[in-house]
Amino acid sequence: MTSLLISIACSVAVGAVFKVAKKYHSNDAQIVFWNYFFAILLSYFVFVPDFSLVNSETPWLLYGTLGVLLPTVFIVLAISIKNSGIVKTDAAQRMSLFLSLIGAWLIFNEAFSTYKIIAVAVALIAFLLILDKPSKESKSHWIYPALVLLGYATIDLLFKQLAGFTTLPYTASLLIIFGIAIVIMSMILIAKYILKKEKIESKNILFGAIAGVLNFGNILFYLKAHQQYSDNPSTVFLGMNVGVIVLGSLLGIFIFKEKLSLKNYIGIGLGIMAIVFVVLSQN
């Protein structure tokens, strides 16, 4: 479970970076760009990936889809927060877990044990309780949360599929995906400069560098977790989503001093219980 726990920690830390960056009126699009820039540097210099094995059988469609989805889903996430509120958006992002689980059952033919079924049921209740927070937003643009839900579920399933491609080392695969993502973000930044005259700021480079290191670790260990649990992808899907939302809630309580209700605390407890059932399902 070590790889999964490291991936969870990195994922929550990335969110914390954006939360801190918001206080400095940073530019999210620029942070995302520099995030991929530094992630590419790490991928290349740490692992020195071998591209000699790239051939006609290389899953370019899979690489391209992930390379486009990773940055664009984040942008949709930001739009959803603006138009539909952070509560609905956060709920949609985490509820993508259940589409991922259905995909693991239908696409990868995974058999569910009793413990795993209990874990899914407990996790669903935990999500509903943790995300039961009052919202001041009155807008109800449901299309944006729906796109967030579909986007994150699709990314989960594609990474599971990528973990099964062993002809090319996954480190090389990561570099290719990050490369495609940074091309997409470059186009977005150029467009924003032309339309809004937005210039590169040093604070965005700093936040992007920190996010890039953490994002690199998140995706790297997420892929390793899928390789370790190749026969049980729902373990990774469930553990990752429950772990992120529980650790994120704890971080909000103790670091960012966010106020939670009794329902939220009960939800965190149930989330931890769901993780216990995931561990039991592996034994």
Side-chain angles (χ1 to χ4, degrees):
M1 297 290 287
T2 303
S3 294
L4 184 57
L5 292 175
I6 294 175
S7 180
I8 290 170
C10 288
S11 178
V12 172
V14 169
V17 168
F18 281 101
K19 192 174 183 67
V20 172
K22 185 178 180 181
K23 296 181 179 179
Y24 294 90
H25 305 287
S26 298
N27 185 302
D28 286 345
Q30 290 186 26
I31 293 176
V32 173
F33 171 84
W34 291 109
N35 151 72
Y36 287 118
F37 176 82
F38 286 100
I40 287 174
L41 290 182
L42 279 172
S43 298
Y44 186 79
F45 289 107
V46 173
F47 298 106
V48 191
D50 180 12
F51 293 101
S52 63
L53 297 175
V54 174
N55 53 42
S56 58
E57 296 182 359
T58 301
W60 289 108
L61 180 59
L62 179 59
Y63 289 159
T65 304
L66 277 169
V68 172
L69 278 179
L70 285 175
T72 53
V73 168
F74 175 80
I75 292 173
V76 172
L77 184 76
I79 295 173
S80 181
I81 291 173
K82 180 179 179 180
N83 290 278
S84 303
I86 193 169
V87 173
K88 294 179 182 178
T89 301
D90 195 20
Q93 182 181 355
R94 297 310 166 197
M95 288 303 172
S96 67
L97 160 70
F98 296 97
L99 288 184
S100 300
L101 291 176
I102 293 172
W105 175 47
L106 296 177
I107 300 174
F108 300 109
N109 299 316
E110 179 183 353
F112 276 36
S113 66
T114 301
Y115 280 131
K116 192 160 291 183
I117 293 173
I118 294 174
V120 171
V122 173
L124 175 58
I125 298 172
F127 287 147
L128 293 175
L129 291 175
I130 292 174
L131 296 173
D132 182 23
K133 300 176 184 178
S135 175
K136 296 180 180 179
E137 293 90 354
S138 60
K139 299 179 181 179
S140 57
H141 300 285
W142 62 269
I143 187 64
Y144 299 118
L147 289 175
V148 169
L149 186 149
L150 291 173
Y152 276 97
T154 303
I155 288 172
D156 271 350
L157 293 171
L158 290 177
F159 268 123
K160 163 57 186 171
Q161 187 176 353
L162 180 63
F165 179 73
T166 57
T167 303
L168 188 67
Y170 60 82
T171 50
S173 297
L174 272 181
L175 188 58
I176 293 172
I177 293 170
F178 287 154
I180 296 171
I182 202 171
V183 169
I184 299 298
M185 287 310 304
S186 297
M187 295 169 62
I188 292 173
L189 288 185
I190 291 173
K192 289 171 76 70
Y193 175 77
I194 294 174
L195 297 174
K196 299 182 179 181
K197 303 301 180 183
E198 292 185 357
K199 297 181 179 180
I200 300 297
E201 296 181 286
S202 58
K203 61 184 177 182
N204 297 319
I205 298 176
L206 175 61
F207 286 122
I210 298 172
V213 173
L214 294 170
N215 194 30
F216 171 78
N218 172 31
I219 296 178
L220 173 65
F221 286 99
Y222 188 66
L223 282 174
K224 284 190 174 184
H226 268 305
Q227 290 177 328
Q228 292 171 357
Y229 296 98
S230 58
D231 296 329
N232 293 280
S234 65
T235 296
V236 182
F237 295 149
L238 188 61
M240 184 67 184
N241 282 272
V242 175
V244 164
I245 202 166
V246 170
L247 184 58
S249 296
L250 294 175
L251 191 69
I253 295 169
F254 295 107
I255 303 299
F256 296 108
K257 307 302 180 181
E258 293 182 358
K259 302 296 182 180
L260 298 183
S261 66
L262 177 60
K263 288 183 180 180
N264 299 150
Y265 284 110
I266 294 174
I268 293 173
L270 289 176
I272 295 173
M273 185 184 301
I275 294 175
V276 171
F277 279 115
V278 169
V279 175
L280 291 175
S281 74
Q282 298 306 307
N283 299 319

